[in-house]
């Protein structure tokens, strides 16, 4: 009695590969390169960016050549009454309110995948007030916007895990630009 009925297909073919050897070599090269990466990013080396979400300063990013392989973080600056852009992404985000007070608008995601992905966001956002010392949680793929209160500057420290991106879910959509961004861009600002 033959125990294995797939022996023929399992032993068929003549193609060969070096996938495993290539991975071992790449791992050795990665470890050598890793030793040259920095553990400390000096404040003056953190780049500023005027982007569709407003003014931010990158703290940790894969392009900063740090040893950190999982986290991205930046500070977002809002003047009194200013709003960020509206965006969404597939990864969770947490935000520490370092200065100021204001509120977030979150348009919750509703989705279905019975036959195909169907994405839909709430027509009206939920508002969440925040102040210095608070943490804000942003669920995956939730449209969200930050709004500063009328009386003081705000500084938000935004943190996320880039592993979701590395897994192939690098889905980021800028739904609306921060007020004034388009004019800034037209006038040569960055």
């Amino acid at each position: 009695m033959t125990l294995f009925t797939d022996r023929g297909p399992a032993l068929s073919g003549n193609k060969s590969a070096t996938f495993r050897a290539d991975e071992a070599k790449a791992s050795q090269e990665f470890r050598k390169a890793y030793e040259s990466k920095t553990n400390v990013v000096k404040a003056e080396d953190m780049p500023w960016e005027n982007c569709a979400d407003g003014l931010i300063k990158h703290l940790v990013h894969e392009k900063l050549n740090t040893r950190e392989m999982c986290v991205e973080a930046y500070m977002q600056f809002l003047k009194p009454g200013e709003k960020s852009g509206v965006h969404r992404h597939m990864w969770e985000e947490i935000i520490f309110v370092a200065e100021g007070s204001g509120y977030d608008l979150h348009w919750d995601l509703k989705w279905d995948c019975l036959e195909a992905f169907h994405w839909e966001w709430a027509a009206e956002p939920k508002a969440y007030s925040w102040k210095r010392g608070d943490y804000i949680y942003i669920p995956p793929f939730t449209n969200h916007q930050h709004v500063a209160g009328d009386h003081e500057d705000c500084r938000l420290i935004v943190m996320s895990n880039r592993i979701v991106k590395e897994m192939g879910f690098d889905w980021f959509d800028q739904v609306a630009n921060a007020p004034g961004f388009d004019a800034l861009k037209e006038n040569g600002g960055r």
Side-chain angles (χ1 to χ4, degrees), residues 146-162:
H146 318 301
V147 182
D150 293 332
H151 304 293
E152 57 190 334
D153 289 347
C154 294
R155 182 168 52 104
L156 307 174
I157 300 174
V158 181
M159 296 158 277
S160 63
N161 187 325
R162 69 173 159 230

Side-chain angles (χ1 to χ4, degrees), residues 60-171:
V60 178
H61 190 278
E62 66 180 319
K63 292 184 178 176
L64 289 176
N65 200 33
T66 67
R67 289 184 179 202
E68 172 51 53
M69 296 289 147
C70 299
V71 174
E72 288 187 357
Y74 60 86
M75 287 188 283
Q76 175 136 33
F77 297 85
L78 297 168
K79 295 187 180 310
E82 194 173 37
K83 297 178 181 181
S84 72
V86 178
H87 72 266
R88 61 181 172 240
H89 37 72
M90 282 301 260
W91 47 91
E92 295 175 304
E93 194 168 70
I94 57 171
I95 302 168
F96 179 72
V97 181
E99 295 179 66
S101 63
Y103 61 95
D104 257 33
L105 296 175
H106 295 187
W107 290 262
D108 290 336
L109 170 67
K110 300 177 214 168
W111 67 281
D112 191 338
C113 64
L114 292 176
E115 293 180 24
F117 284 119
H118 175 74
W119 309 94
E120 184 179 322
W121 287 267
E124 295 298 320
K126 292 179 184 173
Y128 298 93
S129 295
W130 43 257
K131 65 184 181 323
R132 182 176 174 228
D134 289 348
Y135 260 100
I136 306 162
Y137 171 70
I138 311 292
F141 231 39
T142 296
N143 290 347
H144 55 282
Q145 180 178 44
H146 318 301
V147 182
D150 293 332
H151 304 293
E152 57 190 334
D153 289 347
C154 294
R155 182 168 52 104
L156 307 174
I157 300 174
V158 181
M159 296 158 277
S160 63
N161 187 325
R162 69 173 159 230
I163 294 298
V164 173
K165 292 182 196 179
E166 296 297 322
M167 291 171 47
F169 294 101
D170 191 4
W171 299 359

